[in-house]
Amino acid sequence: MATAREPEEDEEEEVKLIKTWSSPYALRAVWALKLKGIPYESIDEDLTHKSDILLHHNPVHKKVPVLLHHGRSICESLVIIEYIEETWSQNPPRLLPQDPLQRAETRFWAKFVDDKALPAIWQAFSKEGKEQEQGLSETAEHLRLLEAELKKKKKRLFFGGEEIGIVDIALGWMVNLVPLFERILGVKILDEEHHPALLKWRQRMSDVDVVKENWPPRDKLVAKWTAIRERCVGKAAANE
Amino acid sequence: MAEEVILLDTWVSPFGMRARIALAEKGIKHEHREEDLGNKSDLLLKMNPIHKTIPVLIHNGKPVCESNNIVQYLDEVWPDKSPLLPSDPYLRGQARFWADFVDRKVFDAGRKVWATKGEEQKSLMEEFIGHLKTLEAELDGKLYFGGEKMGYVDVTMVPIYSWFHAYEVSGNFSFESHCPKLVAWAERCMQHDSVSKALPSPEKVYQYVLQLRKRLGIE
């Protein structure tokens, strides 16, 4: 892939991804790029000391991921995925359907993940008592809807159909983080009785090469999320 | 097959207004049905079983839910008249980013203002104005967020202008003094029939807000 080129040209044409090692949102962008076979340079951030490059390219939210292409930035993970799809439309797999109605449905579910499923599971993870119960019950409801949606797909392989699509990428954090959360919280979130299709989907996702090869290191993830839980519970205790 | 387009909507919803504006911009013949959210129709519950909210666009019997989805769908199915999203992927990415900002920051803060009072409300109002100033900076001397013509971000954002009067009376301030260029942009959009006919009267919205706050037990 690497050839002798003028440094300025490299800088302009190169794809770069500003990310952190653990951000589930950044991982979405990693998967989309790798699934489409797009070479890119990783710029790893320490969010406790945000770099000038991050602040310059995402002044509004100051968050990762940020995709840089031809020196211009695209922010927000789902926006980045649509950009990748449109810019490298000739590279398989197709991350969004071509039919407008199916695209609208796909966008609906991707947004559902971000607006409903993620906030609920975060509430379940970061709170205690009644607030946690509410988070868990909302998570259960969202998973029920996702399970039903997956069962509607003809072959029930992925939300994208026979191949991974944007909804699978958006939900990808479920593959690794849910078992981790279950362990830390001591509760069951996904089970065989209520979520047979989602559990099969999770296994299928884990087996996808791009997903398998790009998981953040497991022991680091365990340490990080355990610490987050302790901080959240500690904060609550301090406020009592 | 003749196109059948129905919009399930409520008059005061800024989300519904987005769909109305896009339909009008593109000259799409449609049937507008006003929903009573206290007594949702069977059709609404059938077409949007997940969220049970408006707006819902029903095109030849098939539903499209979520206002930004509806606007993008209309743009993809009727691309020739008044295209709302640019054709360049980078510019589309920018438009989607700002539409997401309007939803997650502007509208979200704006909505929370009505559910609070006193110091909490004051602080949320400041947050709301802060987001408006960010948007104003993005406008940066352009006529519209879409450039020379109204585009996706304009359609997403302008509905909240019908709520400005309610904010100003409640908060005892004027948007003109904080973000005059944004106010000028909104008034420019209002010159379009598609916008002025889609937005309800500010006074009607204010009366609605007073009733809403009474119902929430805040006033």
Side-chain angles (χ1 to χ4, degrees), chain A residues 58 60-61 63 72-76 79 82-83 86-87 98-101 103-105 107-109 111-112 115-116 145, chain B residues 48 50-51 62-66 68-69 72-73 76-77 88-90 92-94 96-98 100-101 103-105 134:
Chain A
N58 192 357
V60 174
H61 299 306
K63 288 183 179 174
R72 299 185 298 185
S73 58
I74 299 101
C75 307
E76 294 298 300
V79 176
E82 290 224 38
Y83 175 81
E86 288 174 358
T87 306
Q98 271 187 301
D99 172 70
L101 196 63
R103 286 167 85 85
E105 271 181 44
R107 286 181 180 133
F108 174 92
W109 284 104
K111 201 157 185 286
F112 179 87
D115 289 354
K116 300 285 179 187
L145 293 169
Chain B
N48 191 357
I50 309 276
H51 298 309
K62 300 267 167 63
V64 180
C65 306
E66 302 285 292
N68 284 349
N69 273 358
Q72 288 191 83
Y73 175 81
E76 287 169 12
V77 177
D88 171 72
Y90 171 72
R92 289 163 79 83
Q94 294 307 295
R96 288 185 177 124
F97 173 86
W98 285 106
D100 175 76
F101 179 86
D103 265 353
R104 283 196 302 117
K105 298 289 180 184
T134 303

Side-chain angles (χ1 to χ4, degrees), chain A residues 3-59:
Chain A
T3 52
R5 282 186 288 185
E6 289 295 301
E8 285 92 345
E9 276 180 27
D10 262 349
E11 239 169 58
E12 281 307 300
E13 286 169 11
E14 234 176 21
V15 179
K16 298 182 192 187
L17 183 68
I18 308 176
K19 62 189 253 305
T20 60
W21 69 270
S22 62
S23 159
Y25 298 99
L27 198 52
R28 292 172 175 179
V30 167
W31 288 342
L33 288 164
K34 292 215 180 231
L35 282 166
K36 294 241 187 219
I38 300 156
Y40 68 96
E41 180 197 328
S42 255
I43 299 173
D44 278 282
E45 278 289 316
D46 168 6
L47 294 180
T48 60
H49 292 98
K50 292 179 184 181
S51 70
D52 288 342
I53 195 174
L54 173 60
L55 297 175
H56 173 72
H57 286 292
N58 192 357

Side-chain angles (χ1 to χ4, degrees), chain A residues 83-98:
Chain A
Y83 175 81
I84 290 170
E85 174 70 6
E86 288 174 358
T87 306
W88 289 277
S89 52
Q90 71 283 10
N91 295 27
R94 181 166 287 290
L95 299 177
L96 281 113
Q98 271 187 301

Side-chain angles (χ1 to χ4, degrees), chain A residues 85-155:
Chain A
E85 174 70 6
E86 288 174 358
T87 306
W88 289 277
S89 52
Q90 71 283 10
N91 295 27
R94 181 166 287 290
L95 299 177
L96 281 113
Q98 271 187 301
D99 172 70
L101 196 63
Q102 287 174 17
R103 286 167 85 85
E105 271 181 44
T106 297
R107 286 181 180 133
F108 174 92
W109 284 104
K111 201 157 185 286
F112 179 87
V113 171
D114 272 1
D115 289 354
K116 300 285 179 187
L118 270 170
I121 205 162
W122 170 244
Q123 182 166 330
F125 186 77
S126 61
K127 303 284 179 196
E128 289 187 296
K130 276 213 153 55
E131 277 186 288
Q132 185 186 49
E133 270 171 42
Q134 189 194 15
L136 284 168
S137 109
E138 281 178 16
T139 297
E141 176 56 21
H142 301 141
L143 290 175
R144 188 185 67 76
L145 293 169
L146 286 163
E147 174 79 11
E149 180 60 19
L150 189 56
K151 282 184 169 143
K152 282 202 301 210
K153 306 286 166 192
K154 256 189 270 196
K155 287 188 179 174

